[in-house]
């Protein structure tokens, strides 16, 4: 069992939990994720890692309530436990393995949309701990939905907050701020964009025009998280990839976002899942237990 040490609501329907998970905390790296289950029969819920402490043996997760599983999870309090807390899963962010000297020369821009601020935070923190300061744009629909602002401020070189409705910080979507910063003379060697699929699609469209290589973190439907079921299939550079083992981070300019978004919608209905199984044949694996 994995004990919850802290549980609080960060914004409407967005929750933070600090969980005692020593083995995961010892090994996890920025970019990776975990899968939780509340009980033996529970749904497997993949979540990106927001923070970790190797000393305390804790992992911090942030999640938004989107379905029955996450709604039930939101009811857990400090002192309750998860039945499973599996990880770290997926590949760490590529920059973790880059020579520090080379990395230090790069001007990096992180773009976090909504709950995407959670997986961006450990990446920027990891860089800061090594003396590398990155610029960060955090976008939220409104001021009330903005999360982790103080935490991000503490690790970012420059932090640009933007709200779609202009209720706080700059006004407009994250793409507007990217455009403004470049127009103001900022130059970036790499961009890391994490947030809703539609945001990552439009950030990539813009950075492609601006000539900025861009990494995105994909969060398609996942079931086993170990490459067995085929649920998290995506197309990158014309090749089939599985986000849980080949990603979750990919070259954003090569991702087929339209297909990924369509697939995400199809997975929601039994009819859609049956169609996917038929269309994807062997590459779907069929072992997800969802497709009949
Ligand atoms: P949201 O809808 O509030 O959007 C966040 C920000 O993204 C907006 O404020 C805006 O700046 C930007 N954005 C949205 N649409 C855009 C567009 N068309 N063009 C340019 N910018 C745009 O975000 P949310 O409600 O927090 O998003 C929830 C979604 O994010 C869920 O589907 C969740 O699964 C996903 N998510 C993804 C990851 C990941 O690892 N990729 C992590 C957490 C959450
Ligand atoms: Fe990736 Fe099953 S979740 S293959």
């Amino acid at each position: 069992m994995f004990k919850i040490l802290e549980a609080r609501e960060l914004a409407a329907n967005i929750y933070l939990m600090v969980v005692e998970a020593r083995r995961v905390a010892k090994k996890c790296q920025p970019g990776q994720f975990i899968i939780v289950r509340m009980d033996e029969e529970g749904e497997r819920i993949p979540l990106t890692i927001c923070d970790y402490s190797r000393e305390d043996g804790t992992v911090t997760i942030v999640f938004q309530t989107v379905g029955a599983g996450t709604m039930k999870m939101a009811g857990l309090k400090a002192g309750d436990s998860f039945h499973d807390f599996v990880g770290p899963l997926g590949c760490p962010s590529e920059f973790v393995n880059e020579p520090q000297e080379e990395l230090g020369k790069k001007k990096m821009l992180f773009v976090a949309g909504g709950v995407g601020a959670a997986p961006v935070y450990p990446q920027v923190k990891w860089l800061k701990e090594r003396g590398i300061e990155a610029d960060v744009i955090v976008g939220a629909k409104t001021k009330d939905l903005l999360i982790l602002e103080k935490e991000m401020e503490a690790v970012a070189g420059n932090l640009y907050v933007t709200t779609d409705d202009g209720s706080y910080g700059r006004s407009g979507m994250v793409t507007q701020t990217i455009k403004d910063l470049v127009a103001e003379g900022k130059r970036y060697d790499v961009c890391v964009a994490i947030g809703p699929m539609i945001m990552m699609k439009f950030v990539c469209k813009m950075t492609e025009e601006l000539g900025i290589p861009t990494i995105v973190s994909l969060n398609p439907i996942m079931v086993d998280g170990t490459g067995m079921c085929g649920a998290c299939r995506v197309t990158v550079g014309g090749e089939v990839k599985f986000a849980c083992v080949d990603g979750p981070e990919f070259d954003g300019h090569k991702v087929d976002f339209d297909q990924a978004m369509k697939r995400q919608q199809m997975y929601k209905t039994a009819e859609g899942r049956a169609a996917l199984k038929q269309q994807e044949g062997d590459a779907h694996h069929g072992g997800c237990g969802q497709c009949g």
Side-chain angles (χ1 to χ4, degrees):
M1 299 295 265
F2 300 86
K3 195 169 175 186
I4 299 166
L5 303 180
E6 185 186 337
R8 61 191 159 96
E9 192 172 8
L10 294 180
N13 302 322
I14 305 174
Y15 298 83
L16 175 146
M17 287 179 183
V18 180
V19 182
E20 196 172 57
R22 290 197 176 275
R23 270 188 295 176
V24 180
K26 205 170 157 184
K27 289 194 162 178
C28 64
Q29 302 267 31
Q32 293 186 294
F33 66 99
I34 51 102
I35 288 185
V36 294
R37 263 199 325 170
M38 289 173 65
D39 50 56
E40 225 166 323
E41 305 302 318
E43 185 188 334
R44 298 163 65 90
I45 303 174
L47 297 167
T48 37
I49 293 169
C50 173
D51 201 3
Y52 52 88
S53 163
R54 304 220 197 278
E55 298 74 43
D56 300 339
T58 58
V59 175
T60 304
I61 51 172
V62 169
F63 63 95
Q64 192 172 31
T65 51
V66 285
T70 42
M71 271 179 208
K72 197 170 162 201
M73 217 170 109
L76 294 175
K77 302 274 173 285
D80 293 338
S81 296
F82 286 107
H83 186 276
D84 292 329
F85 197 90
V86 181
L89 298 168
C91 306
S93 303
E94 220 174 80
F95 65 74
V96 167
N97 297 315
E98 266 185 66
Q100 215 163 300
E101 206 189 323
E102 292 302 309
L103 196 57
K105 289 182 199 155
K106 286 187 182 171
K107 192 73 197 142
M108 294 181 79
L109 173 67
F110 286 80
V111 181
V115 189
V120 163
Y121 174 69
Q123 302 201 14
V124 183
K125 183 181 172 187
W126 188 95
L127 290 166
K128 171 83 173 176
E129 284 169 352
R130 285 153 185 81
I132 302 164
E133 290 201 337
D135 282 1
V136 181
I137 301 173
V138 175
K141 280 195 196 88
T142 72
K143 182 176 191 279
D144 297 345
L145 290 174
L146 182 67
I147 59 165
L148 304 171
E149 184 189 5
K150 278 201 169 56
E151 289 82 350
M152 207 69 94
E153 212 164 44
V155 294
N158 295 294
L159 176 66
Y160 306 94
V161 175
T162 178
T163 49
D164 298 4
D165 65 355
S167 53
Y168 187 64
R170 294 172 176 235
S171 181
M173 291 190 179
V174 290
T175 36
Q176 184 59 49
T177 300
I178 299 175
K179 206 170 162 183
D180 293 346
L181 292 179
V182 171
E184 286 162 21
K186 290 265 190 182
R187 291 286 171 266
Y188 295 105
D189 299 305
V190 61
C191 170
V192 177
I194 311 182
M197 207 78 91
I198 188 77
M199 177 205 97
M200 295 190 284
K201 175 185 164 167
F202 283 103
V203 167
C204 286
K205 201 164 178 279
M206 174 161 289
T207 55
E208 200 161 15
E209 283 162 19
L210 296 168
I212 308 171
T214 300
I215 306 290
V216 295
S217 179
L218 298 183
N219 66 326
I221 306 285
M222 288 193 191
V223 181
D224 66 309
T226 59
M228 300 294 285
C229 72
C232 67
R233 175 190 160 124
V234 287
T235 303
V236 183
E239 284 178 44
V240 170
K241 299 278 178 193
F242 296 97
C244 67
V245 285
D246 300 319
E249 295 188 357
F250 294 101
D251 178 342
H253 295 161
K254 292 187 176 164
V255 171
D256 187 337
F257 286 106
D258 291 338
Q259 186 209 51
M261 286 188 282
K262 188 173 165 214
R263 206 172 176 283
Q264 213 152 16
Q265 283 305 317
M266 285 175 81
Y267 232 97
K268 288 182 182 162
T269 64
E271 207 183 8
R273 291 194 291 273
L276 280 175
K277 192 184 175 190
Q278 208 168 32
Q279 283 167 22
E280 295 175 358
D282 285 348
H284 184 64
H285 304 185
C288 68
Q290 312 278 320
C291 298

